[in-house]
């Protein structure tokens, strides 16, 4: 698990405060999926089970509470002179460098490039929501922190709008389930009513190369597949954003003190990671 940014630079208080919001998020996950982590909830064209009664109202209440928490963290951290001295002007990555190294996510946007796949690729229903891409132009550890803090507030805006626009109707793709009825004749048996035991429908992959990318919290998360007319891909490759963003680290830490290296590592890898995830 990635190290929280503020713990890396000696600020333990915000790190422990964040556990409050993390536990509330886990409560929402558990109420909807039955598990706090490692969920088996999403399905092709839907989800495994409908949301329980009162979940949407509980989630909206959390959004209001979380916005006040973000304001508290900004007062506690963003305006702290000790914190600013540790991160401002440290680990600067220029606009050209961030492109040449193939960095993405907050690393890219903190260096003056307004690039967010949710806006660029127009996938899912993000175009229907009112939200802004968070970006800075300084390219240092402080800029990467500010991008993350801004994205927390923007994420709450997206969640609130999505909850208000949830339509009625079935929660799963009934056609996909019908296609798999021959393969899984026991689909409606008692033991398959539980979320953790309901298998995801499978389908035949065409004989071609496929690449799909989404904007994850750390950057571009890509999935590459090569199909061969079967239910299993001939090749499957995941492009994780975190590891690729870290490849610039050896260049940034040259002739730096250990304390500054920890600051850079925290700002690159993850910032307030448990809440953001």
């Amino acid at each position: 698990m990635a190290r929280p940014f503020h713990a890396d630079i000696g600020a333990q208080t915000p790190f422990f405060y964040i556990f409050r919001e993390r536990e509330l998020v886990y409560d929402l996950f558990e109420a909807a999926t039955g598990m706090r982590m490692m969920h088996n909830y999403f399905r092709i064209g839907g989800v495994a089970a409908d949301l329980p009664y009162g979940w949407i109202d509980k989630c909206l209440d959390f959004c209001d509470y979380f916005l006040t928490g973000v304001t508290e963290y900004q007062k506690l951290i963003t305006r702290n002179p000790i914190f600013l001295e540790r991160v401002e002007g440290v680990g600067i990555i220029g606009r050209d460098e961030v492109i040449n190294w193939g960095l993405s996510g907050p690393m890219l946007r903190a260096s003056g490039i307004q690039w967010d796949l949710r806006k660029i690729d127009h996938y899912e229903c993000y175009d229907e929501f009112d939200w802004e891409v968070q970006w800075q132009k300084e390219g240092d550890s402080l800029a990467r922190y500010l991008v993350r803090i801004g994205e927390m507030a923007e994420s709450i805006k997206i969640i609130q709008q999505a909850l208000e626009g949830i339509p009625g109707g079935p929660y799963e793709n009934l056609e996909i389930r019908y296609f798999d009825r021959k393969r899984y004749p026991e689909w409606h048996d008692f033991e398959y009513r539980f979320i953790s035991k309901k298998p995801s429908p499978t389908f035949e992959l065409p004989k071609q190369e496929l690449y799909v990318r989404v904007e994850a919290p750390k950057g571009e998360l890509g999935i590459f597949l090569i199909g061969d007319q079967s239910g299993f891909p001939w090749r499957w490759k995941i492009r994780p954003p975190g590891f690729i963003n870290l490849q610039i680290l050896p260049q940034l830490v040259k002739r730096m003190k250990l304390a500054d290296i920890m600051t850079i590592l925290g700002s690159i890898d993850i910032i307030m990671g448990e809440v953001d995830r």
Side-chain angles (χ1 to χ4, degrees):
M1 182 179 295
R3 292 174 297 276
F5 179 42
H6 300 94
D8 283 341
I9 62 173
Q12 296 290 339
T13 301
F15 168 56
F16 287 111
Y17 279 5
I18 292 168
F19 277 92
R20 301 176 303 183
E21 285 78 11
R22 187 189 73 163
E23 290 303 309
L24 293 175
V25 172
Y26 283 173
D27 289 343
L28 290 170
F29 287 167
E30 185 178 14
T33 71
M35 290 165 281
R36 298 173 72 82
M37 297 179 68
M38 311 304 176
H39 322 291
N40 180 23
Y41 188 63
F42 296 103
R43 299 291 183 269
I44 298 172
V47 293
D50 203 355
L51 293 172
Y53 178 78
W55 190 92
I56 293 179
D57 293 333
K58 185 177 180 180
C59 189
L60 288 171
D61 291 341
F62 167 77
C63 291
D64 295 334
Y65 167 77
F66 185 77
L67 287 177
T68 61
V70 171
T71 303
E72 178 184 357
Y73 295 135
Q74 287 179 320
K75 293 179 180 178
L76 182 64
I77 303 169
T78 310
R79 304 171 188 174
N80 189 313
I82 300 176
F83 172 77
L84 292 177
E85 189 173 348
R86 289 292 305 273
V87 300
E88 196 168 8
V90 176
I92 298 176
I93 307 176
R95 181 187 179 96
D96 294 335
E97 280 185 305
V98 78
I99 294 176
N100 293 336
W101 282 90
L103 309 184
S104 61
M107 296 282 294
L108 187 69
R109 293 188 287 274
S111 296
I113 300 176
Q114 301 182 51
W115 180 276
D116 192 306
L117 294 178
R118 294 171 293 182
K119 292 282 191 181
I120 300 298
D121 289 351
H122 307 284
Y123 65 88
E124 300 292 348
C125 54
Y126 286 106
D127 287 343
E128 302 175 11
F129 302 139
D130 179 23
W131 62 284
E132 300 294 333
V133 175
Q134 297 298 301
W135 67 286
Q136 300 287 328
K137 58 183 179 181
E138 290 78 12
D140 58 359
S141 297
L142 177 61
R144 291 187 283 273
Y145 161 80
L146 293 175
V147 168
R148 291 275 188 168
I149 285 290
E151 287 182 347
M152 291 183 185
E154 291 299 314
S155 295
I156 292 296
K157 287 172 54 178
I158 294 175
I159 293 172
Q160 289 172 329
Q161 295 174 73
L163 291 175
E164 293 173 358
I166 289 182
Y171 58 84
E172 57 183 332
N173 190 321
L174 299 180
E175 291 186 7
I176 292 291
R177 202 175 92 173
Y178 175 78
F179 293 152
D180 261 20
R181 190 165 296 179
K182 294 181 180 179
R183 178 173 296 183
Y184 299 106
E186 69 279 14
W187 188 279
H188 295 287
D189 290 352
F190 176 78
E191 63 178 3
Y192 278 92
R193 295 178 186 176
F194 296 101
I195 296 176
S196 60
K197 291 188 177 182
K198 290 174 70 175
S200 298
T202 58
F203 54 92
E204 191 175 274
L205 291 172
K207 195 172 183 178
Q208 63 182 29
E209 296 184 8
L210 302 169
Y211 181 77
V212 178
R213 60 183 184 175
V214 297
E215 186 70 38
K218 293 183 182 181
E220 179 179 333
L221 173 63
I223 305 294
F224 174 72
L225 295 173
I226 299 180
D228 60 350
Q229 296 296 130
S230 67
F232 297 92
W234 182 80
R235 179 171 174 79
W236 176 33
K237 173 68 175 178
I238 297 178
R239 180 208 186 273
F243 181 76
I244 295 177
N245 287 342
L246 283 172
Q247 65 183 343
I248 196 176
L249 186 63
Q251 176 177 319
L252 292 179
V253 301
K254 290 180 179 179
R255 296 179 296 278
M256 280 201 169
K257 297 180 179 179
L258 181 59
D260 291 333
I261 293 175
M262 296 301 294
T263 299
I264 296 172
L265 180 61
S267 69
I268 291 177
D269 196 15
I270 199 164
I271 302 172
M272 287 189 168
E274 291 301 317
V275 173
D276 189 54
R277 184 181 66 176

